[in-house]
Amino acid sequence: GPKEYLLCGNCERRFSSRESYFKQEIFDPYIDGKATSISYDSRLFYFVISVAWRTLIQAFGHKDIDRHRFIRPLRQAETEWRQYLLTEASPPTHNEAHLFLADVISGGIQPVRRMNLYFARAVDGTIASSENGCSVYWKFARFISFCSITPFDQSLWIGTRISPSGGTLAVPQEIQDGVIGEFLIDRARMATQASSTDPLTEKQKQFHIQRIKQNPSGFVGNDLFKVIKADMINRVPVTDWVEPKQPRVPHHRTCGSASGGSV
């Protein structure tokens, strides 16, 4: 992923301690399949905001960012999040953060090729916006986060909101906002198109082939194999195999949902 020099040594240590907490207390238990209900404390909210803040800082580097329709609240969120990351005083306005725990779907119909690969393995982050709403989106592995710039309809987000003081994450969760559902499918489609036009180099391919040959049983039993197998088994509508000439833009809809344990 992209690397930029953003932090001094003290702030790097602040972030690092929360990253270690996330890996040990949230990431590993969920990925290992040992937990469907996870208790957390204030360090999870700090971690989620720290990744959202870095995503936002990266987005601010784009040349057209000042023309973004939500640039004023985006700037306000960056200031509030930066102060929170320094002082740990909860952001007064932009304090709505959601974390969705995705899983692998196998043996069904999926709307996009390699959808499991995106939802379970990919790294992504951007400003997500429509005509009426805006949030900062990031994901890696099976963890998907939206930090609101404009308020969400809370009735459409079930079991996903992270409290600054702590709480419990449990699956199943639901995101019943159709705009968010379309956004996620479009990001998965864009990732598929990018991977088809930017394949691994021959050197990278040979490296992975050699690792599989050295430990074939380890590969068959690992998470990546499970994801690839699910994408091969699942059916994809024929229309999705025709690449669109223009990127699809999410429309305003209130149907559709994504639920934890399956997306």
Side-chain angles (χ1 to χ4, degrees), residues 210-251:
Q210 288 303 316
R211 291 193 64 181
I212 293 171
K213 286 181 177 179
Q214 291 170 6
N215 185 16
S217 60
F219 175 71
V220 171
N222 70 16
D223 187 70
L224 177 58
F225 180 82
K226 178 182 178 181
V227 170
I228 293 174
K229 181 180 178 182
D231 277 340
M232 292 177 64
I233 293 173
N234 290 352
R235 291 170 290 161
V236 179
V238 174
T239 53
D240 193 72
W241 288 85
V242 179
E243 304 294 357
K245 294 181 179 180
Q246 298 292 334
R248 293 172 14 125
V249 178
H251 302 288

Side-chain angles (χ1 to χ4, degrees), residues 1-58:
K3 296 179 176 62
E4 298 181 30
Y5 291 98
L6 296 177
L7 309 175
C8 67
N10 287 335
C11 289
E12 183 65 47
R13 284 188 286 274
R14 287 173 182 263
F15 284 22
S16 180
S17 66
R18 274 66 171 203
E19 290 163 1
S20 297
Y21 164 81
F22 178 78
K23 181 182 185 304
Q24 295 167 8
E25 302 297 330
I26 311 295
F27 185 94
D28 286 345
Y30 184 68
I31 295 297
D32 292 343
K34 298 177 181 178
T36 57
S37 178
I38 303 174
S39 297
Y40 65 89
D41 59 30
S42 61
R43 288 174 290 182
L44 177 59
F45 184 81
Y46 190 102
F47 170 78
V48 168
I49 294 297
S50 77
V51 182
W53 178 78
R54 282 174 277 188
T55 302
L56 190 52
I57 289 295
Q58 183 188 10

Side-chain angles (χ1 to χ4, degrees), residues 152-220:
F152 292 136
D153 182 344
Q154 298 301 308
S155 67
L156 303 179
W157 297 73
I158 301 171
T160 60
R161 188 165 183 176
I162 301 297
S163 169
S165 59
T168 302
L169 274 175
V171 294
Q173 303 165 296
E174 292 185 38
I175 303 175
Q176 297 180 346
D177 188 327
V179 174
I180 295 297
E182 280 202 35
F183 168 81
L184 289 171
I185 291 173
D186 282 342
R187 296 301 291 187
R189 180 177 286 108
M190 290 170 61
T192 297
Q193 294 172 0
S195 65
S196 65
T197 58
D198 185 24
L200 294 175
T201 65
E202 189 61 32
K203 183 177 180 180
Q204 290 171 323
K205 291 179 183 177
Q206 292 303 318
F207 172 77
H208 289 296
I209 289 171
Q210 288 303 316
R211 291 193 64 181
I212 293 171
K213 286 181 177 179
Q214 291 170 6
N215 185 16
S217 60
F219 175 71
V220 171

